[in-house]
Amino acid sequence: MDTAHFNSLSIDELWILHQHVTVSLTQKVLVKKAQLEERLQKIGLPDEAPRFVRKRRPYPPVHPKYRNGRTRRRHGPVAAGCLGGCGRSFEAAGSWMTS
């Protein structure tokens, strides 16, 4: 059918055509499904075949490619104490900010 023919149809006529097409396709699918199920029974496969469960392949452990050369980072009051000079205490090191 041409698209011009569909454009000339009313909504009700289009809906009836839709229903006819749906029924026709449903019947065709059911017939094809029955044929396929019959073929399955002929070759002897069970109706519900169990799913194939694939086991994961074991992989070796992965080590990091790069490593930080420092063994320890200094944070907190000890590192902050070095701002004013490492020889003084934390309070004395922070006194330059209060003046």
Side-chain angles (χ1 to χ4, degrees):
M1 292 186 169
D2 298 338
T3 56
H5 176 69
F6 291 128
N7 290 336
S8 66
L9 294 175
S10 70
I11 298 290
D12 292 332
E13 292 170 332
L14 287 172
W15 183 251
I16 291 170
L17 179 63
H18 167 73
Q19 289 176 335
H20 286 298
V21 169
T22 303
V23 168
S24 173
L25 290 176
T26 302
Q27 288 174 351
K28 288 181 181 182
V29 166
L30 291 175
V31 168
K32 186 68 173 176
K33 181 181 175 190
Q35 290 173 350
L36 292 173
E37 286 176 349
E38 184 180 329
R39 286 179 63 190
L40 268 176
Q41 287 181 355
K42 281 183 181 178
I43 61 174
L45 291 179
D47 292 335
E48 302 252 340
R51 288 187 79 187
F52 178 71
V53 179
R54 187 184 315 189
K55 292 185 179 182
R56 291 191 62 150
R57 182 176 152 194
Y59 290 100
V62 178
H63 301 290
K65 190 171 186 178
Y66 300 104
R67 184 173 173 205
N68 189 357
R70 294 186 221 165
T71 57
R72 190 174 178 190
R73 291 181 115 184
R74 294 177 63 183
H75 293 288
V78 176
C82 289
L83 287 174
C86 288
R88 294 188 279 170
S89 69
F90 177 67
E91 289 81 18
S95 64
W96 62 274
M97 290 190 260
T98 58
S99 52

